[in-house]
Amino acid sequence: AQSVTQLDSQVPVFEEAPVELRCNYSSSVSVYLFWYVQYPNQGLQLLLKYLSGSTLVKGINGFEAEFNKSQTSFHLRKPSVHISDTAEYFCAVDGGGGADGLTFGKGTHLIIQP
Amino acid sequence: GAGVSQSPRYKVAKRGQDVALRCDPISGHVSLFWYQQALGQGPEFLTYFQNEAQLDKSGLPSDRFFAERPEGSVSTLKIQRTQQEDSAVYLCASSFHGAEETQYFGPGTRLLVL
C-alpha cells in the first residue's frame, strides 16, 4: 500500500516570490510520482510527472519538482509565482502498475497575494 | 479531440434515490478510472476499467456503488439508495494503458444528497 502526505494545507505567497509545495510518499515498491493542479470548478490537470531517469522534472507553467528517493519526497517548486497560479495542488503516486489508480495527497491550496 | 466529459455536472438527490453518473473518456483510451473527492480532500480511487473489463473495484465504498463500461468507451457510475455521506465530487479519468501514462480528468459531477 502507498500513501501521500502533503504537509501544508495552505500556502500563502506574495506574487513574484518563489514557492515550494511539499510532498512525501510511502510505498513498498517503485513508484511513479505526479503533481496535478485543480483550478476552481475545473478538472485536475497534470503539471509534471516522474517516471525514471533525471530526478529533476520540469513541467508546465514554469513548475519543476525533484524526486528524492532517500527522503521519499517529491517537492514542487516555482521560482516566481503569478496570480494565475492560485489553485489547489495535488501530489499523487502510482505504485500498482496502473491497475489500482493514483493515490492522492489531501492537497495544498496555493494563495497568491498581490 | 475533446477531453473527458462528465454529465450531469451537478446532481441533487433525496436520500434513498438512485443516481447515475456518466463519463465519456477520450477516444482510444483503454483505461478508465473513477474517483471520489470529498470536500477539502484529495481524490480517492473507486474503480478501474481496462476496455470493458472492470479489473479493480476495491475502492467502491459499499455494494450500493456499481460501475460499468459495457462497450469499452462510455462508463456509468450508479449509486443506489443514496446516503448523505455519498455527497462528493465524482471524477472520471482516462488514459492509454500503463501506469506511466497520464490520466486525463473530467470536470467531475458534484453530487449533493439531501
Side-chain angles (χ1 to χ4, degrees):
Chain A
Q2 55 249 9
S3 66
V4 176
T5 301
Q6 292 185 244
L7 297 168
D8 305 298
S9 61
Q10 196 167 283
V11 173
V13 181
F14 286 106
E15 195 173 13
E16 298 184 6
V19 68
E20 179 180 81
L21 305 183
R22 297 180 290 171
C23 172
N24 288 83
Y25 70 92
S26 66
S27 176
S28 58
V29 298
S30 296
V31 297
Y32 297 139
L33 293 157
F34 305 80
W35 274 100
Y36 280 85
V37 59
Q38 188 174 38
Y39 299 104
N41 297 316
Q42 294 187 28
L44 293 156
Q45 179 183 2
L46 181 72
L47 277 176
L48 47 80
K49 62 183 178 183
Y50 171 78
L51 305 180
S52 64
S54 174
T55 57
L56 183 63
V57 181
K58 293 189 182 298
I60 62 170
N61 301 340
F63 284 93
E64 63 182 31
E66 185 153 21
F67 170 61
N68 187 319
K69 187 175 182 179
S70 62
Q71 297 186 2
T72 60
S73 68
F74 190 54
H75 301 332
L76 181 71
R77 302 186 185 100
K78 186 170 183 178
S80 176
V81 296
H82 301 113
I83 288 287
S84 59
D85 293 323
T86 297
E88 194 80 19
Y89 291 79
F90 292 95
C91 180
V93 62
D94 187 325
D100 59 357
L102 297 172
T103 299
F104 285 86
K106 292 186 175 183
T108 297
H109 188 196
L110 179 60
I111 301 169
I112 309 301
Q113 302 169 327
Chain B
V4 178
S5 61
Q6 293 185 246
S7 60
R9 291 292 311 275
Y10 303 93
K11 177 70 178 178
V12 179
K14 292 183 180 178
R15 191 174 55 166
Q17 281 186 329
D18 298 348
V19 298
L21 313 180
R22 178 188 169 104
C23 172
D24 282 86
I26 293 173
S27 177
H29 277 188
V30 169
S31 299
L32 186 145
F33 302 83
W34 282 99
Y35 294 86
Q36 180 190 60
Q37 185 176 19
L39 190 63
Q41 302 295 316
E44 292 193 358
F45 169 78
L46 293 178
T47 187
Y48 162 69
F49 289 86
Q50 182 179 325
N51 295 309
E52 69 279 5
Q54 188 175 20
L55 298 186
D56 188 347
K57 52 182 181 180
S58 61
L60 296 177
S62 78
D63 59 7
R64 296 185 295 104
F65 286 70
F66 171 76
E68 60 183 4
R69 194 186 184 198
E71 296 179 356
S73 57
V74 171
S75 177
T76 303
L77 176 66
K78 297 179 180 177
I79 309 173
Q80 297 176 326
R81 304 181 304 281
T82 53
Q83 303 294 315
Q84 286 185 325
E85 61 263 29
D86 299 335
S87 295
V89 176
Y90 291 85
L91 298 169
C92 176
S94 71
S95 72
F96 291 110
H97 181 60
E100 72 279 11
E101 297 292 339
T102 298
Q103 291 187 26
Y104 294 87
F105 284 79
T109 294
R110 185 177 297 275
L111 173 65
L112 177 62
V113 182
L114 301 176

